[in-house]
Amino acid sequence: MNPDELSPVAQDYLKVIWSRTEWGAPPITTGELAQRFGTSAANVTETLKRLDAQGLVARIPYKPVELTEAGAQCAIAMVRRHRLLETYLVEALGYDWDEVHDEAERLEHAVSDTFIARIDAILEHPTADPHGDPIPDADHRWAHPEDARRLASVTGSGRFRVLVVSDADPEVLRTARELGLVPGVELDVDAGESGAAGAGPLVRVLGREGVEVPGSVAEGMLVRPIV
Amino acid sequence: MNPDELSPVAQDYLKVIWSRTEWGAPPITTGELAQRFGTSAANVTETLKRLDAQGLVARIPYKPVELTEAGAQCAIAMVRRHRLLETYLVEALGYDWDEVHDEAERLEHAVSDTFIARIDAILEHPTADPHGDPIPDADHRWAHPEDARRLASVTGSGRFRVLVVSDADPEVLRTARELGLVPGVELDVDAGESGAAGAGPLVRVLGREGVEVPGSVAEGMLVRPIV
DNA sequence: TCATGAATTTAACCTACCTTAAATATGGTC
DNA sequence: GACCATATTTAAGGTAGGTTAAATTCATGA
């Protein structure tokens, strides 16, 4: 099913439900969706019922929600739109790293497939958006490293490369850029025993100079070990 | 009032109501709005009541509707968005003349003022869109020749310059381009006594070679006499 | 196993936008 | 001045998406 036939609300739900599990996290709950959209859990329940009736999600009451195959296809199409738009806004319109998310969030509901195809061609078929997130191609395939993990979950020490910085929070993006933590950068990480401390808020990173990464930023960054 | 605070439906109504009178036509009626939006007159009445309650239109039952000052400001902002977007789609994304209208129609509800400011700068503050329609500037002023008239309303003969080809109908745009009738072109018009014949469907135009302009195209073209 | 607190769903109600059908106002015409 | 066709409005009802408050289910610790 083409996502153009869905309402903007339906498009948003599918994208958020899909994105939750992109890096292996468990499926999203009603309450988390309510928080994400700034609405009530009651409203989320009603909306999920409608999506279930449309065959886009497989809803089991009181359980986290999961996408059907049709729902996942629409979701990936929306993620492709979002990430291509973010890339275009940065590359062609001079937007900053931390400005593009909200603009893309609105544009993705309005652009046609033609528009997406044109910017994809102009950008020469990019495979990652400005934050490092992989861009699904027109056939809904996308590169997805299996050994990625959150910087916040790293224990001990080692060398890593930054893959993705989450675009959900502009403040995280600004801080990450100030610290030089952009996709592609290599890091020598010395996280001490943060795992043992239980949600330790700080991770120590050694690059050109030693910097301390705030917990919120480490939580929003995906890194991959360099062998 | 910033049009961002309005619903897409409200934005559409204001833009269409304003556009109707841009070239001196009388204000638009309930029935014409219904036809334009492909909806019922009953629905138009309800929507106009809501716009009236918001202070955007001055509605007198059974009369054609007119905008308030606040409504006109929003309308002009939407027209500016639409025409800048059409220009950008043609100049930057390689859209054809006759493809841009629908895409701009959807994008204009989604783009931010920041987006509009960026494409305005990239295009170097254009004053006319691809069809020749004037683009209001950021202060909502726009160039508006007083002596413009529809090609269909020209009688007798004389020399004219094409100002605007309406973007409402892609078929008109395609035909106009095939005939060489694009904004800026000079025409020697010999319309015969079409005025006397009462809605004569054909207008004779002499340029490099004599061509006959279909009535629907002549109706959608604004021309200005060359002195 | 059972009480309890948190999460979720149900219920009742709201607005915006849309439908069709019925009522009503308007603008000519005789 | 009354009549008529047409345009417009009112009325009644539907869906999507939202609200708050009450009921219900789940997981869990005593």
Side-chain angles (χ1 to χ4, degrees):
Chain A
M1 180 189 293
N2 189 310
D4 284 338
E5 299 160 30
L6 273 38
S7 72
V9 169
Q11 293 173 345
D12 279 336
Y13 271 67
L14 297 181
K15 189 176 56 125
V16 167
I17 295 167
W18 183 88
S19 299
R20 182 60 186 307
T21 60
E22 180 178 9
W23 302 102
I28 198 163
T29 63
T30 301
E32 287 169 317
L33 282 167
Q35 191 174 355
R36 173 65 182 260
F37 291 123
T39 186
S40 64
N43 182 28
V44 171
T45 298
E46 297 299 324
T47 302
L48 289 178
K49 280 188 192 171
R50 281 194 299 273
L51 295 178
D52 188 72
Q54 291 177 85
L56 297 165
V57 307
R59 191 180 93 98
I60 301 172
Y62 298 100
K63 301 269 192 195
V65 68
E66 304 206 46
L67 297 176
T68 63
E69 181 56 31
Q73 288 303 310
C74 288
I76 293 172
M78 293 308 296
V79 168
R80 171 171 161 81
R81 287 186 183 186
H82 183 89
R83 294 180 182 171
L84 273 175
L85 282 165
E86 286 195 339
T87 308
Y88 187 79
L89 292 172
V90 167
E91 297 292 325
L93 294 184
Y95 274 67
D96 276 340
W97 210 27
D98 52 356
E99 288 180 323
V100 292
H101 182 73
D102 291 351
E103 189 83 52
E105 197 80 21
R106 277 176 287 105
L107 287 172
E108 69 197 19
H109 303 304
V111 295
S112 67
D113 287 339
T114 299
F115 187 99
I116 290 298
R118 303 248 165 142
I119 67 174
D120 183 42
I122 287 171
L123 295 167
E124 296 179 330
H125 313 289
T127 58
D129 76 11
H131 315 103
D133 276 309
I135 300 175
D137 68 19
D139 296 327
H140 296 174
R141 298 173 200 288
W142 74 105
H144 187 166
E146 293 299 328
D147 50 356
R149 66 200 63 181
R150 295 185 184 283
L151 177 56
S153 72
V154 171
T155 58
S157 62
R159 176 160 288 196
F160 294 83
R161 187 181 303 280
V162 175
L163 283 179
V164 183
V165 181
S166 165
D167 64 347
D169 182 351
E171 188 56 46
V172 165
L173 287 171
R174 272 192 292 275
T175 308
R177 182 165 49 187
E178 281 166 17
L179 297 175
L181 301 173
V182 298
V185 159
E186 283 188 28
L187 303 172
D188 283 317
V189 179
D190 180 4
E193 295 300 324
S194 78
L202 296 183
V203 175
R204 189 174 305 277
V205 176
L206 306 169
R208 293 170 190 159
E209 26 185 301
V211 291
E212 295 211 338
V213 179
S216 62
V217 175
E219 195 61 48
M221 289 180 54
L222 286 176
V223 297
R224 177 166 53 175
I226 298 173
V227 289
Chain B
M1 183 188 293
N2 189 309
D4 285 337
E5 300 159 31
L6 273 39
S7 72
V9 170
Q11 292 173 346
D12 279 336
Y13 271 67
L14 297 181
K15 190 176 56 126
V16 168
I17 295 167
W18 184 87
S19 299
R20 182 60 185 310
T21 60
E22 181 179 7
W23 302 102
I28 199 164
T29 64
T30 301
E32 287 170 317
L33 282 167
Q35 191 174 355
R36 173 66 181 260
F37 291 122
T39 187
S40 64
N43 182 28
V44 170
T45 298
E46 297 299 324
T47 303
L48 290 179
K49 279 188 192 173
R50 280 195 301 275
L51 295 177
D52 188 71
Q54 291 177 85
L56 297 166
V57 307
R59 192 180 91 97
I60 301 172
Y62 298 100
K63 300 273 192 192
V65 67
E66 304 206 45
L67 297 176
T68 63
E69 182 57 31
Q73 289 302 310
C74 287
I76 293 172
M78 293 308 296
V79 167
R80 171 171 161 81
R81 287 186 183 186
H82 183 88
R83 293 179 182 171
L84 273 175
L85 282 165
E86 286 195 339
T87 308
Y88 187 79
L89 291 172
V90 167
E91 297 291 327
L93 294 184
Y95 275 67
D96 276 340
W97 209 29
D98 52 358
E99 288 180 324
V100 293
H101 182 75
D102 291 349
E103 189 84 51
E105 196 81 21
R106 278 175 286 106
L107 286 173
E108 69 196 18
H109 303 303
V111 296
S112 67
D113 287 340
T114 298
F115 187 99
I116 290 299
R118 303 248 166 145
I119 67 174
D120 183 43
I122 287 170
L123 295 168
E124 296 178 328
H125 314 289
T127 57
D129 75 13
H131 315 103
D133 276 308
I135 299 175
D137 68 19
D139 296 328
H140 296 173
R141 299 173 200 288
W142 75 103
H144 187 165
E146 293 299 329
D147 50 356
R149 66 199 64 180
R150 296 185 184 282
L151 177 56
S153 73
V154 171
T155 57
S157 63
R159 176 159 291 196
F160 293 83
R161 187 182 302 280
V162 175
L163 283 179
V164 182
V165 182
S166 166
D167 64 349
D169 182 352
E171 189 54 48
V172 166
L173 287 171
R174 273 192 292 274
T175 308
R177 182 165 48 187
E178 280 167 19
L179 297 175
L181 300 173
V182 297
V185 159
E186 283 189 27
L187 303 172
D188 283 316
V189 180
D190 179 4
E193 295 300 323
S194 78
L202 296 183
V203 175
R204 188 175 306 276
V205 175
L206 306 170
R208 294 170 189 159
E209 24 185 302
V211 291
E212 294 210 340
V213 180
S216 61
V217 176
E219 196 60 48
M221 289 181 55
L222 286 176
V223 298
R224 176 167 55 175
I226 297 173
V227 287

mmCIF file of all heavy atoms in Angstrom, chain B residues 39-43 46, chain C residues 18-22, chain D residues 9-13:
data_model
loop_
_atom_site.group_PDB
_atom_site.id
_atom_site.type_symbol
_atom_site.label_atom_id
_atom_site.label_comp_id
_atom_site.label_asym_id
_atom_site.label_seq_id
_atom_site.Cartn_x
_atom_site.Cartn_y
_atom_site.Cartn_z
ATOM 1 N N THR B 39 -16.699 19.746 -3.531
ATOM 2 C CA THR B 39 -17.500 19.385 -2.358
ATOM 3 C C THR B 39 -18.898 19.988 -2.511
ATOM 4 O O THR B 39 -19.226 20.571 -3.541
ATOM 5 C CB THR B 39 -16.819 19.874 -1.072
ATOM 6 O OG1 THR B 39 -17.521 19.383 0.053
ATOM 7 C CG2 THR B 39 -16.786 21.379 -1.013
ATOM 8 N N SER B 40 -19.719 19.827 -1.477
ATOM 9 C CA SER B 40 -21.095 20.315 -1.556
ATOM 10 C C SER B 40 -21.186 21.766 -1.091
ATOM 11 O O SER B 40 -20.360 22.243 -0.315
ATOM 12 C CB SER B 40 -21.989 19.458 -0.667
ATOM 13 O OG SER B 40 -21.610 19.607 0.687
ATOM 14 N N ALA B 41 -22.223 22.451 -1.580
ATOM 15 C CA ALA B 41 -22.444 23.825 -1.137
ATOM 16 C C ALA B 41 -22.708 23.867 0.363
ATOM 17 O O ALA B 41 -22.303 24.817 1.048
ATOM 18 C CB ALA B 41 -23.627 24.433 -1.900
ATOM 19 N N ALA B 42 -23.361 22.827 0.882
ATOM 20 C CA ALA B 42 -23.640 22.787 2.321
ATOM 21 C C ALA B 42 -22.346 22.808 3.119
ATOM 22 O O ALA B 42 -22.219 23.535 4.115
ATOM 23 C CB ALA B 42 -24.440 21.535 2.659
ATOM 24 N N ASN B 43 -21.397 22.029 2.664
ATOM 25 C CA ASN B 43 -20.115 21.980 3.352
ATOM 26 C C ASN B 43 -19.409 23.336 3.286
ATOM 27 O O ASN B 43 -18.819 23.790 4.270
ATOM 28 C CB ASN B 43 -19.239 20.896 2.718
ATOM 29 C CG ASN B 43 -17.907 20.759 3.414
ATOM 30 O OD1 ASN B 43 -17.780 21.046 4.591
ATOM 31 N ND2 ASN B 43 -16.918 20.342 2.674
ATOM 32 N N GLU B 46 -20.860 25.702 5.855
ATOM 33 C CA GLU B 46 -20.364 25.412 7.212
ATOM 34 C C GLU B 46 -18.940 25.910 7.396
ATOM 35 O O GLU B 46 -18.603 26.514 8.413
ATOM 36 C CB GLU B 46 -20.413 23.902 7.480
ATOM 37 C CG GLU B 46 -21.816 23.306 7.462
ATOM 38 C CD GLU B 46 -22.709 23.908 8.530
ATOM 39 O OE1 GLU B 46 -22.190 24.209 9.623
ATOM 40 O OE2 GLU B 46 -23.911 24.098 8.269
ATOM 41 P P DC C 18 -13.308 19.012 3.835
ATOM 42 O OP1 DC C 18 -12.239 18.419 3.022
ATOM 43 O OP2 DC C 18 -13.624 20.454 3.723
ATOM 44 O "O5'" DC C 18 -14.684 18.209 3.586
ATOM 45 C "C5'" DC C 18 -14.629 16.838 3.259
ATOM 46 C "C4'" DC C 18 -15.917 16.112 3.618
ATOM 47 O "O4'" DC C 18 -16.329 16.398 4.968
ATOM 48 C "C3'" DC C 18 -17.184 16.465 2.843
ATOM 49 O "O3'" DC C 18 -17.212 15.860 1.561
ATOM 50 C "C2'" DC C 18 -18.242 15.829 3.724
ATOM 51 C "C1'" DC C 18 -17.629 15.842 5.113
ATOM 52 N N1 DC C 18 -18.426 16.653 6.066
ATOM 53 C C2 DC C 18 -19.537 16.040 6.673
ATOM 54 O O2 DC C 18 -19.772 14.859 6.401
ATOM 55 N N3 DC C 18 -20.299 16.743 7.519
ATOM 56 C C4 DC C 18 -20.008 18.022 7.774
ATOM 57 N N4 DC C 18 -20.784 18.676 8.630
ATOM 58 C C5 DC C 18 -18.881 18.674 7.165
ATOM 59 C C6 DC C 18 -18.134 17.954 6.312
ATOM 60 P P DT C 19 -18.420 16.137 0.559
ATOM 61 O OP1 DT C 19 -17.979 15.721 -0.783
ATOM 62 O OP2 DT C 19 -18.868 17.530 0.791
ATOM 63 O "O5'" DT C 19 -19.613 15.191 1.035
ATOM 64 C "C5'" DT C 19 -19.422 13.781 1.187
ATOM 65 C "C4'" DT C 19 -20.721 13.143 1.672
ATOM 66 O "O4'" DT C 19 -20.957 13.560 3.043
ATOM 67 C "C3'" DT C 19 -21.957 13.605 0.917
ATOM 68 O "O3'" DT C 19 -22.230 12.687 -0.135
ATOM 69 C "C2'" DT C 19 -23.064 13.561 1.958
ATOM 70 C "C1'" DT C 19 -22.340 13.691 3.280
ATOM 71 N N1 DT C 19 -22.552 15.002 3.961
ATOM 72 C C2 DT C 19 -23.583 15.118 4.855
ATOM 73 O O2 DT C 19 -24.353 14.214 5.093
ATOM 74 N N3 DT C 19 -23.687 16.341 5.461
ATOM 75 C C4 DT C 19 -22.870 17.435 5.274
ATOM 76 O O4 DT C 19 -23.070 18.475 5.878
ATOM 77 C C5 DT C 19 -21.813 17.254 4.305
ATOM 78 C C7 DT C 19 -20.882 18.384 4.013
ATOM 79 C C6 DT C 19 -21.703 16.062 3.702
ATOM 80 P P DT C 20 -23.338 13.077 -1.239
ATOM 81 O OP1 DT C 20 -23.247 12.027 -2.287
ATOM 82 O OP2 DT C 20 -23.158 14.498 -1.585
ATOM 83 O "O5'" DT C 20 -24.740 12.947 -0.492
ATOM 84 C "C5'" DT C 20 -25.158 11.702 0.055
ATOM 85 C "C4'" DT C 20 -26.532 11.862 0.680
ATOM 86 O "O4'" DT C 20 -26.453 12.833 1.770
ATOM 87 C "C3'" DT C 20 -27.616 12.394 -0.263
ATOM 88 O "O3'" DT C 20 -28.822 11.679 -0.041
ATOM 89 C "C2'" DT C 20 -27.758 13.866 0.105
ATOM 90 C "C1'" DT C 20 -27.426 13.853 1.595
ATOM 91 N N1 DT C 20 -26.806 15.115 2.090
ATOM 92 C C2 DT C 20 -27.324 15.729 3.200
ATOM 93 O O2 DT C 20 -28.283 15.310 3.815
ATOM 94 N N3 DT C 20 -26.667 16.884 3.568
ATOM 95 C C4 DT C 20 -25.569 17.442 2.953
ATOM 96 O O4 DT C 20 -25.076 18.469 3.385
ATOM 97 C C5 DT C 20 -25.074 16.741 1.790
ATOM 98 C C7 DT C 20 -23.889 17.263 1.051
ATOM 99 C C6 DT C 20 -25.703 15.629 1.413
ATOM 100 P P DA C 21 -30.091 11.937 -0.948
ATOM 101 O OP1 DA C 21 -30.735 10.616 -1.125
ATOM 102 O OP2 DA C 21 -29.722 12.752 -2.127
ATOM 103 O "O5'" DA C 21 -31.007 12.812 0.017
ATOM 104 C "C5'" DA C 21 -31.220 12.373 1.348
ATOM 105 C "C4'" DA C 21 -32.176 13.313 2.062
ATOM 106 O "O4'" DA C 21 -31.442 14.478 2.531
ATOM 107 C "C3'" DA C 21 -33.309 13.853 1.197
ATOM 108 O "O3'" DA C 21 -34.480 13.959 2.005
ATOM 109 C "C2'" DA C 21 -32.806 15.219 0.761
ATOM 110 C "C1'" DA C 21 -32.034 15.657 2.001
ATOM 111 N N9 DA C 21 -30.957 16.606 1.749
ATOM 112 C C8 DA C 21 -30.056 16.602 0.712
ATOM 113 N N7 DA C 21 -29.187 17.591 0.764
ATOM 114 C C5 DA C 21 -29.537 18.289 1.910
ATOM 115 C C6 DA C 21 -29.007 19.439 2.516
ATOM 116 N N6 DA C 21 -27.965 20.120 2.033
ATOM 117 N N1 DA C 21 -29.605 19.866 3.659
ATOM 118 C C2 DA C 21 -30.649 19.184 4.140
ATOM 119 N N3 DA C 21 -31.237 18.089 3.651
ATOM 120 C C4 DA C 21 -30.626 17.688 2.526
ATOM 121 P P DA C 22 -35.869 14.486 1.399
ATOM 122 O OP1 DA C 22 -36.900 13.522 1.840
ATOM 123 O OP2 DA C 22 -35.697 14.799 -0.043
ATOM 124 O "O5'" DA C 22 -36.100 15.840 2.195
ATOM 125 C "C5'" DA C 22 -36.040 15.812 3.631
ATOM 126 C "C4'" DA C 22 -36.062 17.222 4.165
ATOM 127 O "O4'" DA C 22 -34.838 17.910 3.769
ATOM 128 C "C3'" DA C 22 -37.219 18.087 3.662
ATOM 129 O "O3'" DA C 22 -37.741 18.823 4.749
ATOM 130 C "C2'" DA C 22 -36.559 18.988 2.618
ATOM 131 C "C1'" DA C 22 -35.170 19.168 3.210
ATOM 132 N N9 DA C 22 -34.116 19.493 2.248
ATOM 133 C C8 DA C 22 -33.835 18.852 1.071
ATOM 134 N N7 DA C 22 -32.820 19.372 0.419
ATOM 135 C C5 DA C 22 -32.412 20.426 1.222
ATOM 136 C C6 DA C 22 -31.368 21.375 1.090
ATOM 137 N N6 DA C 22 -30.536 21.401 0.045
ATOM 138 N N1 DA C 22 -31.229 22.287 2.073
ATOM 139 C C2 DA C 22 -32.071 22.244 3.112
ATOM 140 N N3 DA C 22 -33.085 21.400 3.344
ATOM 141 C C4 DA C 22 -33.198 20.509 2.360
ATOM 142 P P DT D 9 -25.083 30.632 2.235
ATOM 143 O OP1 DT D 9 -24.728 31.928 2.850
ATOM 144 O OP2 DT D 9 -24.043 29.654 1.877
ATOM 145 O "O5'" DT D 9 -26.150 29.919 3.177
ATOM 146 C "C5'" DT D 9 -27.360 30.600 3.504
ATOM 147 C "C4'" DT D 9 -28.280 29.673 4.287
ATOM 148 O "O4'" DT D 9 -28.679 28.571 3.448
ATOM 149 C "C3'" DT D 9 -27.650 29.058 5.544
ATOM 150 O "O3'" DT D 9 -28.463 29.387 6.654
ATOM 151 C "C2'" DT D 9 -27.608 27.559 5.245
ATOM 152 C "C1'" DT D 9 -28.721 27.402 4.220
ATOM 153 N N1 DT D 9 -28.556 26.274 3.265
ATOM 154 C C2 DT D 9 -29.539 25.310 3.180
ATOM 155 O O2 DT D 9 -30.547 25.322 3.875
ATOM 156 N N3 DT D 9 -29.299 24.310 2.257
ATOM 157 C C4 DT D 9 -28.202 24.198 1.420
ATOM 158 O O4 DT D 9 -28.113 23.278 0.627
ATOM 159 C C5 DT D 9 -27.210 25.249 1.559
ATOM 160 C C7 DT D 9 -25.984 25.227 0.693
ATOM 161 C C6 DT D 9 -27.432 26.216 2.459
ATOM 162 P P DT D 10 -28.085 28.922 8.144
ATOM 163 O OP1 DT D 10 -28.519 29.998 9.053
ATOM 164 O OP2 DT D 10 -26.681 28.464 8.123
ATOM 165 O "O5'" DT D 10 -29.020 27.648 8.413
ATOM 166 C "C5'" DT D 10 -30.412 27.747 8.158
ATOM 167 C "C4'" DT D 10 -31.076 26.397 8.363
ATOM 168 O "O4'" DT D 10 -30.763 25.517 7.255
ATOM 169 C "C3'" DT D 10 -30.658 25.641 9.632
ATOM 170 O "O3'" DT D 10 -31.845 25.158 10.245
ATOM 171 C "C2'" DT D 10 -29.767 24.520 9.110
ATOM 172 C "C1'" DT D 10 -30.387 24.259 7.749
ATOM 173 N N1 DT D 10 -29.488 23.667 6.723
ATOM 174 C C2 DT D 10 -29.927 22.573 6.009
ATOM 175 O O2 DT D 10 -31.011 22.046 6.186
ATOM 176 N N3 DT D 10 -29.035 22.108 5.058
ATOM 177 C C4 DT D 10 -27.789 22.632 4.768
ATOM 178 O O4 DT D 10 -27.092 22.135 3.904
ATOM 179 C C5 DT D 10 -27.407 23.768 5.555
ATOM 180 C C7 DT D 10 -26.074 24.403 5.316
ATOM 181 C C6 DT D 10 -28.255 24.228 6.486
ATOM 182 P P DA D 11 -31.791 24.462 11.704
ATOM 183 O OP1 DA D 11 -33.010 24.890 12.413
ATOM 184 O OP2 DA D 11 -30.462 24.698 12.306
ATOM 185 O "O5'" DA D 11 -31.907 22.900 11.376
ATOM 186 C "C5'" DA D 11 -32.781 22.465 10.339
ATOM 187 C "C4'" DA D 11 -32.709 20.954 10.192
ATOM 188 O "O4'" DA D 11 -31.803 20.614 9.097
ATOM 189 C "C3'" DA D 11 -32.181 20.206 11.424
ATOM 190 O "O3'" DA D 11 -32.968 19.030 11.598
ATOM 191 C "C2'" DA D 11 -30.745 19.894 11.058
ATOM 192 C "C1'" DA D 11 -30.851 19.673 9.553
ATOM 193 N N9 DA D 11 -29.629 19.913 8.794
ATOM 194 C C8 DA D 11 -28.720 20.914 8.978
ATOM 195 N N7 DA D 11 -27.716 20.889 8.130
ATOM 196 C C5 DA D 11 -27.984 19.787 7.340
ATOM 197 C C6 DA D 11 -27.295 19.212 6.250
ATOM 198 N N6 DA D 11 -26.145 19.706 5.765
ATOM 199 N N1 DA D 11 -27.829 18.118 5.679
ATOM 200 C C2 DA D 11 -28.985 17.628 6.169
ATOM 201 N N3 DA D 11 -29.716 18.083 7.186
ATOM 202 C C4 DA D 11 -29.152 19.175 7.735
ATOM 203 P P DA D 12 -32.876 18.150 12.926
ATOM 204 O OP1 DA D 12 -34.268 17.827 13.322
ATOM 205 O OP2 DA D 12 -31.959 18.832 13.868
ATOM 206 O "O5'" DA D 12 -32.181 16.805 12.424
ATOM 207 C "C5'" DA D 12 -32.648 16.177 11.229
ATOM 208 C "C4'" DA D 12 -31.670 15.093 10.841
ATOM 209 O "O4'" DA D 12 -30.584 15.662 10.066
ATOM 210 C "C3'" DA D 12 -31.014 14.394 12.040
ATOM 211 O "O3'" DA D 12 -31.014 12.999 11.822
ATOM 212 C "C2'" DA D 12 -29.622 14.987 12.076
ATOM 213 C "C1'" DA D 12 -29.360 15.190 10.576
ATOM 214 N N9 DA D 12 -28.315 16.157 10.280
ATOM 215 C C8 DA D 12 -27.985 17.284 10.975
ATOM 216 N N7 DA D 12 -26.975 17.953 10.458
ATOM 217 C C5 DA D 12 -26.621 17.210 9.354
ATOM 218 C C6 DA D 12 -25.617 17.374 8.381
ATOM 219 N N6 DA D 12 -24.756 18.390 8.376
ATOM 220 N N1 DA D 12 -25.529 16.443 7.404
ATOM 221 C C2 DA D 12 -26.392 15.419 7.412
ATOM 222 N N3 DA D 12 -27.379 15.146 8.275
ATOM 223 C C4 DA D 12 -27.432 16.096 9.227
ATOM 224 P P DG D 13 -30.436 11.952 12.897
ATOM 225 O OP1 DG D 13 -31.384 10.814 12.888
ATOM 226 O OP2 DG D 13 -30.114 12.666 14.154
ATOM 227 O "O5'" DG D 13 -29.087 11.445 12.232
ATOM 228 C "C5'" DG D 13 -29.111 11.007 10.866
ATOM 229 C "C4'" DG D 13 -27.693 10.845 10.391
ATOM 230 O "O4'" DG D 13 -27.110 12.148 10.114
ATOM 231 C "C3'" DG D 13 -26.757 10.190 11.429
ATOM 232 O "O3'" DG D 13 -26.095 9.095 10.846
ATOM 233 C "C2'" DG D 13 -25.806 11.297 11.797
ATOM 234 C "C1'" DG D 13 -25.771 12.092 10.498
ATOM 235 N N9 DG D 13 -25.208 13.415 10.684
ATOM 236 C C8 DG D 13 -25.486 14.333 11.661
ATOM 237 N N7 DG D 13 -24.769 15.421 11.574
ATOM 238 C C5 DG D 13 -23.960 15.196 10.464
ATOM 239 C C6 DG D 13 -22.965 16.008 9.873
ATOM 240 O O6 DG D 13 -22.585 17.121 10.222
ATOM 241 N N1 DG D 13 -22.388 15.392 8.766
ATOM 242 C C2 DG D 13 -22.728 14.145 8.292
ATOM 243 N N2 DG D 13 -22.068 13.708 7.231
ATOM 244 N N3 DG D 13 -23.660 13.379 8.838
ATOM 245 C C4 DG D 13 -24.223 13.965 9.909
#
